[in-house]
Amino acid sequence: MPAPDAADALAPGVTDPYKVKFVRRLPGTLEELRGPRHGVVQLPLHVAWSGLTAFDLDRPRSRMSLYRTVLAEGLCDDLRRYLDRDLLLELWPVLRNLIGRAVREAWEESFPELSPATGGATAA
């Protein structure tokens, strides 16, 4: 009998192997997201490996780009360091349409407050 897949233990019930990598990176709670709310953020190369590496959180497009990049490329510690819970909740109604399906599903299934289906984040 084969040994259980390590991904199953870290992302129980997730069958999409691409989605597993995002589920495994998630923080335990949104309260763990205590990143900056203002100023310029310089992302490390392992997160922003192509294109922009500096993002001005006081500029809406730049802020959205930072969140897209960190959600797609960041590891768990990066999510905690660069994302802010309140900003994520504020941006989510638009952001959810700018990120990949696997990323969106991982976050919305893990954090009901983000899911429009459960009355969470909705477009204003």
Side-chain angles (χ1 to χ4, degrees), residues 39-111:
V40 175
V41 174
Q42 179 74 43
L43 292 177
L45 284 177
H46 74 271
V47 178
W49 48 269
S50 174
L52 291 175
T53 59
F55 301 85
D56 186 346
L57 291 174
D58 296 313
R59 298 179 61 209
R61 291 182 80 177
S62 183
R63 181 173 52 239
M64 191 70 74
S65 292
L66 174 118
Y67 273 66
R68 285 179 66 192
T69 301
V70 173
L71 287 169
E73 304 297 336
L75 302 175
C76 189
D77 285 343
D78 300 314
L79 299 171
R80 290 183 186 117
R81 180 178 295 126
Y82 299 113
L83 302 182
D84 174 80
R85 176 198 173 275
D86 294 336
L87 275 179
L88 179 67
L89 290 170
E90 177 185 321
L91 296 174
W92 193 257
V94 173
L95 185 60
R96 70 181 304 276
N97 296 308
L98 301 175
I99 56 178
R101 180 182 54 83
V103 177
R104 180 179 58 250
E105 288 177 359
W107 281 82
E108 289 182 350
E109 290 170 7
S110 298
F111 305 109

Side-chain angles (χ1 to χ4, degrees), residues 7-8 10-11 14-25 102:
D8 291 340
L10 294 171
V14 178
T15 57
D16 177 354
Y18 183 64
K19 185 175 162 183
V20 167
K21 81 175 190 174
F22 298 109
V23 172
R24 290 173 35 186
R25 296 175 182 181

